[in-house]
Amino acid sequence: MKIKDLPAPVTASKADWLPGTTWLGFTPTDGELASYNKCQSTIQRQFGSGYVIEYITETFQKPNNGFEGDPRYIADREAHKERAGRLIAVHKLKTTSRSLETILGPDEFKLLQDMWSQQGKRYRWSVAFPIVESYRIRDPRKAKEVLGPDAYARLYAHSSATLRPLRPEEQYLIADLEIERIDTKNALIGIEDEFNLAERSEINPDTQRAIGRDLAALEGMEAERLAKIKRRAAWIADKFIRYRQKAGTFFCDDCTFDPGALAAELGVKARGFLDVHHKNPLDEGVRYTTTADFALLCPTCHRVEHVRLRKVKKSMSE
Ligand SMILES: [Zn+2]
Ligand SMILES: [Zn+2]
């Protein structure tokens, strides 16, 4: 697939000298809680609901004294060489109240600060965003080549502790880069944080019933976890429906039936004429699913889709 096929635009870029694999970290101006919160909200505003493209800097930093010969540092430096100056990945970040220390565990966090803390300030990268969805850029090219010298200079000439929002013309320049999905260990952090959000939110009972049926495929999972997974999926499905209504795209994704005019004529709500359908139920609890995992279908297309899925399942078990 290409960057332009992602369900949301790439809204910002992060310059790093080490590729982020499970989280992207940002350093607040000081160690106070207010700075921590300010840094977190700035970054969150910059990526919005979009993706972040990762750029690897041309230069590599030196670690704190005593770590120049450390095998981890040497391995990191070698890994950096191959990627220097290139656009390497696209990530979806998740806002979480967990600090980097909680995400990494105290030992790894301590090691990271021992190696890289600046002048004894032990909060480097302490504002962390777990990567819940990630794509490797196939054939990573030099950023200067892809973006041209002007955009390159604007985005990466000065080192920055925050993200660089992308302009529409820059989004256009990266739209055709080929990407490939890779596994993300931290998807579970995103999923589990949302279990709690879904628990506290009101969800349309029709949506809950429809999602409950689609997720019947997950039977056999431990009951308490299954209930949480179903509730989170229904919560996302509700968001998906509201989004489609607001965007004026409330029609069947298969046959394009649009109930708008009919509903108006009958004086009823259009919502009752379309079903929400989960396209990838088996990915629930495994991958960080989003509104892109759902479809709107009219009842006939929905029925046909389920017959088709049953046939596929049957032919696979034969
Ligand atoms: Zn239809
Ligand atoms: Zn369905």
Side-chain angles (χ1 to χ4, degrees):
M1 68 188 282
K2 292 182 172 176
I3 284 185
K4 65 181 174 200
D5 302 321
L6 287 168
V10 175
T11 44
S13 183
K14 167 89 158 75
D16 262 330
W17 33 279
L18 273 180
T21 48
T22 53
W23 53 274
L24 291 186
F26 302 87
T27 305
T29 47
D30 59 49
E32 301 298 319
L33 182 65
S35 311
Y36 181 97
N37 289 339
K38 188 167 169 244
C39 178
Q40 189 173 49
S41 63
T42 304
I43 304 298
Q44 198 183 337
R45 194 178 59 243
Q46 286 174 327
F47 69 78
S49 55
Y51 290 80
V52 173
I53 187 163
E54 190 177 19
Y55 160 76
I56 298 295
T57 53
E58 291 285 357
T59 55
F60 194 64
Q61 295 204 4
K62 278 212 158 56
N64 290 331
N65 283 340
F67 286 93
E68 300 90 338
D70 192 289
R72 283 161 304 213
Y73 166 66
I74 293 169
D76 284 347
R77 200 181 52 195
E78 283 311 306
H80 171 264
K81 259 189 214 153
E82 295 162 28
R83 300 176 176 88
R86 296 174 194 274
L87 296 167
I88 61 153
V90 175
H91 306 295
K92 178 112 186 161
L93 305 181
K94 181 88 185 76
T95 307
T96 177
S97 53
R98 304 177 203 213
S99 67
L100 182 60
E101 190 164 2
T102 348
I103 296 174
L104 291 182
D107 295 346
E108 207 180 320
F109 182 75
K110 181 180 175 299
L111 173 71
L112 193 72
Q113 299 303 330
D114 287 347
M115 250 170 118
W116 298 109
S117 71
Q118 294 153 303
Q119 294 106 44
K121 301 175 197 160
R122 299 184 63 85
Y123 49 83
R124 194 166 201 189
W125 304 308
S126 61
V127 174
F129 291 83
I131 295 171
V132 292
E133 192 185 332
S134 193
Y135 299 83
R136 178 178 81 80
I137 296 178
R138 290 164 181 251
D139 181 29
R141 285 163 57 208
K142 291 271 185 181
K144 207 172 194 167
E145 223 176 81
V146 177
L147 295 161
D150 293 348
Y152 175 79
R154 188 184 87 78
L155 291 167
Y156 307 123
H158 307 285
S159 68
S160 163
T162 58
L163 291 173
R164 293 298 169 93
L166 290 190
R167 293 176 176 166
E169 61 270 27
E170 291 153 2
Q171 294 181 0
Y172 175 78
L173 291 169
I174 58 167
D176 281 316
L177 295 181
E178 287 278 351
I179 52 173
E180 177 181 58
R181 190 168 190 136
I182 51 176
D183 282 345
T184 35
K185 272 199 297 184
N186 276 341
L188 282 183
I189 291 182
I191 296 170
E192 280 167 19
D193 281 359
E194 287 180 357
F195 282 166
N196 301 324
L197 273 173
E199 204 52 60
R200 293 196 299 267
S201 308
E202 231 174 279
I203 302 169
N204 180 310
D206 287 340
T207 310
Q208 266 177 308
R209 263 192 301 277
I211 295 307
R213 274 197 296 271
D214 281 353
L215 295 194
L218 295 176
E219 289 312 332
M221 193 184 273
E222 187 252 324
E224 197 189 331
R225 183 161 177 83
L226 181 58
K228 285 181 178 173
I229 285 177
K230 281 185 175 169
R231 187 157 181 100
R232 174 178 174 273
W235 174 72
I236 299 173
D238 245 6
K239 281 208 278 195
F240 169 71
I241 294 168
R242 283 198 301 276
Y243 168 77
R244 292 285 295 260
Q245 285 171 322
K246 237 171 91 187
T249 53
F250 198 70
F251 51 72
C252 174
D253 286 330
D254 208 353
C255 70
T256 73
F257 165 67
D258 182 339
L262 179 67
E265 192 190 312
L266 297 173
V268 294
K269 283 186 177 152
R271 170 72 184 88
F273 290 103
L274 293 181
D275 298 344
V276 63
H277 167 69
H278 197 309
K279 295 191 276 185
N280 308 297
L282 296 178
D283 286 1
E284 282 298 341
V286 178
R287 170 167 74 70
Y288 184 75
T289 47
T290 66
T291 49
D293 288 281
F294 294 84
L296 270 180
L297 296 174
C298 72
T300 302
C301 290
H302 195 189
R303 192 182 292 185
V304 171
E305 180 61 17
H306 278 264
V307 171
R308 203 181 60 79
L309 290 173
R310 270 200 299 278
K311 282 196 93 157
V312 172
K313 207 174 148 196
K314 202 166 157 238
S315 71
M316 282 196 326
S317 63
E318 274 166 10

